[in-house]
Amino acid sequence: MKFERKFEAKNNELFFVDGTPFPVAGCTALTAASCRGKSAVPADVSRPFAVEVPWTAVGLDEEHYDEAFLADFRDFLKALEEKGGYAFVVPVADRLPSTDGEKENLTASFKHCARRIKDCVSVIGFAVPECVDAVVFMDELKAKHAQYVFFSRDEKLLSDGAVARF
């Protein structure tokens, strides 16, 4: 299942593909714990949401993915979609990876998260965690989710303007 791109980043800003700006600055941050199920969608969906998803909530490695959490999170995103709202996922390394293997696991965990929410049109994309290789992270997610926009606060990553600042 492939979705057409709805958004793009230009000069570190987010736009609908028709050129209409969709400002991210000052967007509401939500925690994954508050985004479980359909009843958790806020009333005002006129601005995008930055949903902070802890690595430990997704699961630290493929042996321990939390499919129940991911199903609840998907339900939230589908309900957000029904209301016409949008969000991007902000991976939170609540356990900092200390080895290359753990960095790969963090990337793999959020790639798995992307697979579980792949049919949610409400998902704009993912923020790039500062503790992983940004190119690898984006390449891994783009392989199956070319419609995603990536977000960052890292000036180095923002230097070419193709990533949205949040």
Side-chain angles (χ1 to χ4, degrees):
M1 161 183 326
K2 289 195 177 198
F3 289 114
E4 287 188 33
R5 181 179 281 266
K6 285 188 162 202
F7 297 95
E8 60 189 343
K10 291 182 194 172
N11 300 319
N12 303 122
E13 300 292 331
L14 185 66
F15 294 87
F16 285 96
V17 291
D18 70 3
T20 305
F22 196 44
V24 174
C27 69
T28 301
L30 302 172
T31 63
S34 68
C35 297
R36 295 184 75 159
K38 295 180 179 187
S39 63
V41 175
D44 182 6
V45 297
S46 61
R47 305 267 324 258
F49 297 99
V51 182
E52 298 170 349
V53 178
W55 182 19
T56 55
V58 175
L60 297 175
D61 57 52
E62 66 182 311
E63 308 265 326
H64 299 97
Y65 293 146
D66 187 340
E67 298 300 340
F69 163 75
L70 292 167
D72 284 346
F73 186 44
R74 180 189 171 280
D75 288 346
F76 167 81
L77 293 167
K78 292 303 277 182
L80 181 63
E81 179 182 316
E82 289 171 12
K83 284 187 159 184
Y86 296 97
F88 60 96
V89 176
V90 180
V92 176
D94 52 339
R95 177 180 162 201
L96 285 176
S98 59
T99 66
D100 287 343
E102 287 180 346
K103 290 176 184 180
E104 290 170 8
N105 283 345
L106 189 148
T107 296
S109 291
F110 283 96
K111 182 179 178 181
H112 182 75
C113 176
R115 272 196 304 269
R116 291 295 175 252
I117 61 175
K118 70 182 178 214
D119 66 333
C120 299
V121 176
S122 62
V123 178
I124 301 168
F126 279 70
V128 179
E130 291 182 16
C131 60
V132 299
D133 182 311
V135 173
V136 170
F137 184 87
M138 292 187 294
D139 285 350
E140 286 291 318
L141 270 67
K142 279 193 277 190
K144 296 273 182 168
H145 311 283
Q147 79 275 14
Y148 283 166
V149 171
F150 292 95
F151 298 82
S152 183
R153 292 185 175 126
D154 180 350
E155 291 303 320
K156 183 178 157 193
L157 191 56
L158 293 165
S159 65
D160 70 359
V163 173
R165 181 186 312 274
F166 77 105

